[in-house]
Amino acid sequence: MEIQRYSYPPLQPDPGKLLVIRELPQPPRIRENSQPQLIALNEQLQLWQIDLISGRTFAAADLHLPDFNPEHPVQLVISPCGQAAAVSNRFGRHATVVSLTTGHTLLELSRGTYYFNVSTYPLAFAERGQELVLIHGVDWNRLELTAVCPEAGPVAAGTIHDEASSASLEDDLDYFHGQLHVSPDHTYIAETGWAWSPAGITRVWKLSNGAQNKPVTGGGEQLNAIWTPLADWDLPMVWLDNERLAVWGQIDGDMVDEEDWHEEGIRPAILVYNAAKDSREVVLTDLPAYVMSSGTSDVFIHAQAQLAASSSGRLFAWGTGLPLYCWILPDMQPQIFETPVQPDLYHRQADLFLHISEKGLEAWRCV
């Protein structure tokens, strides 16, 4: 295989300076005949839909987000139905949820003031039957699950979400929640938060299928922590399928089998964990350490690296100053590609790596 660059049409009309891009999920009933789409956030706090083939853009929503800083890392989360989006500064206090069909603000959220700026704002959409829900942080050690209706009318300015539509997922847990990752079938939730020492703790738990307002202790059925990766948290991770999760971090050789780790010490590795079996399946070693600082002042350290999985069974890893790594599942034989820039996103439907540039978007594909 080799990495091949693709020419990309100019974006029309111009959506302005883009901060972050995400794949827009397509419902299964229209996916085969649909063109791959993006949702992008610009520095004016506007969401734009972008057609990847033509470069056509469409204004989707104007956002209101207190204390928003476009110079700091931004989090953009899209619902699996493609009809709602949640936005926050990655280390911010506030978040907003909007409908991508009507442009209305659906929820305005806050996660409190206690050490909020040292882990990613917990935000993730999931589906329970026919219901769309948002899992979100309301305090450093507490998550809530709130029903979201993309067709609902706008909320009043300054309104925090309606607690009557929420269920508590965590109460008085000695754990700082971080970035959330939902499995493709919406059964499992993974996150890499931390506890005092400090020590990062990667956890996987089941999302309850109970009644909407029924409180669930410990996030549902609690599973064992995958590992405690020293002082790192908010690690790169991606679901490979409904059960297997890949996580990239620094771990101790004592935590894995001797044949996977040929010398003592702490080194970078990617672990593939099976949530259904509660077991580690694969350890990928011989990886370089990724950069942990963005160089932006007043922003907590965080991984300058990403993991992504393709629909054809490939696992990708890349980071600032690093090449692009690719493993073909299940053989796990690595291939390494030199790329001119660090991609901002892997678009699964289009099988493209995308980068935000001054001229718009650049694209590559492994062929």
Side-chain angles (χ1 to χ4, degrees):
M1 291 193 300
E2 63 178 1
I3 189 107
Q4 185 177 90
R5 183 166 185 159
Y6 279 70
S7 59
Y8 198 83
L11 303 182
Q12 295 293 334
D14 185 359
K17 182 180 178 180
L18 301 182
L19 302 177
V20 60
I21 52 177
R22 289 290 178 265
E23 181 171 349
L24 179 64
Q26 303 287 337
R29 64 182 181 276
I30 66 171
R31 189 175 299 153
E32 292 184 1
N33 300 317
S34 65
Q35 301 293 347
Q37 304 284 314
L38 287 175
I39 291 293
L41 178 74
N42 67 14
E43 61 182 354
Q44 284 77 41
L45 268 178
Q46 298 170 327
L47 288 175
W48 289 74
Q49 183 173 336
I50 300 174
D51 186 292
L52 265 182
I53 303 301
S54 67
R56 289 287 307 276
T57 64
F58 310 88
D62 291 302
L63 309 183
H64 170 72
L65 187 59
D67 302 325
F68 176 71
N69 187 340
E71 302 298 323
H72 285 190
V74 179
Q75 179 177 212
L76 171 60
V77 181
I78 311 299
S79 67
C81 61
Q83 297 181 337
V87 177
S88 75
N89 271 124
R90 179 166 178 169
F91 302 102
R93 283 184 56 200
H94 304 281
T96 186
V97 181
V98 298
S99 169
L100 295 176
T101 57
T102 66
H104 292 155
T105 298
L106 303 174
L107 298 168
E108 293 186 345
L109 307 170
S110 173
R111 61 165 166 170
T113 60
Y114 187 66
Y115 286 95
F116 67 88
N117 58 347
V118 299
S119 62
T120 299
Y121 199 128
L123 291 171
F125 289 99
E127 292 179 348
R128 297 197 308 175
Q130 301 300 312
E131 181 183 50
L132 177 65
V133 296
L134 178 74
I135 307 159
H136 58 99
V138 295
D139 206 345
W140 64 277
N141 64 342
R142 184 183 174 198
L143 297 177
E144 285 190 358
L145 184 150
T146 301
V148 175
C149 179
E151 289 76 32
V155 301
T159 300
I160 301 298
H161 75 284
D162 180 8
E163 294 185 0
S165 66
S166 299
S168 175
L169 291 177
E170 307 263 41
D171 290 309
D172 301 323
L173 190 68
D174 187 17
Y175 182 80
F176 289 77
H177 293 288
Q179 190 169 22
L180 304 177
H181 301 261
V182 181
S183 64
D185 64 354
H186 314 284
T187 297
Y188 298 102
I189 312 294
E191 63 172 321
T192 54
W194 63 282
W196 282 111
S197 280
I201 302 175
T202 302
R203 308 188 314 152
V204 176
W205 40 274
K206 264 189 175 180
L207 182 64
S208 169
N209 289 319
Q212 175 180 310
N213 295 316
K214 181 180 179 181
V216 181
T217 302
E221 180 183 338
Q222 183 65 51
L223 299 181
N224 294 332
I226 299 175
W227 87 78
T228 302
L230 303 179
D232 296 337
W233 51 89
D234 283 346
L235 305 178
M237 60 171 60
V238 65
W239 287 97
L240 304 179
D241 52 36
N242 293 332
E243 297 180 352
R244 294 182 301 161
L245 175 75
V247 188
W248 186 5
Q250 295 193 76
I251 61 174
D252 195 314
D254 293 339
M255 300 181 63
V256 295
D257 295 333
E258 185 177 349
E259 61 266 25
D260 296 321
W261 206 264
H262 302 296
E263 59 186 71
E264 295 182 357
I266 310 288
R267 290 164 50 198
I270 293 176
L271 290 186
V272 177
Y273 170 80
N274 189 305
K277 298 178 181 178
D278 188 20
S279 63
R280 301 186 183 100
E281 286 195 348
V282 178
V283 181
L284 303 176
T285 58
D286 299 323
L287 286 163
Y290 46 70
V291 177
M292 286 296 296
S293 175
S294 64
T296 304
S297 61
D298 301 324
V299 173
F300 194 72
I301 59 171
H302 57 288
Q304 305 299 295
Q306 296 188 53
L307 288 176
S310 75
S311 58
S312 59
R314 291 185 288 180
L315 170 64
F316 298 107
W318 69 92
T320 300
L322 302 179
L324 172 69
Y325 288 76
C326 174
W327 294 265
I328 299 177
L329 309 178
D331 296 336
M332 291 297 185
Q333 295 300 313
Q335 293 182 301
I336 304 175
F337 305 92
E338 294 295 335
T339 56
V341 297
Q342 179 189 15
D344 293 299
L345 175 72
Y346 171 72
H347 195 293
R348 185 179 173 96
Q349 182 186 355
D351 191 25
L352 285 175
F353 294 94
L354 300 170
H355 172 68
I356 301 171
S357 70
E358 294 182 356
K359 298 180 180 179
L361 295 175
E362 299 176 89
W364 296 265
R365 175 178 290 144
C366 287
V367 295

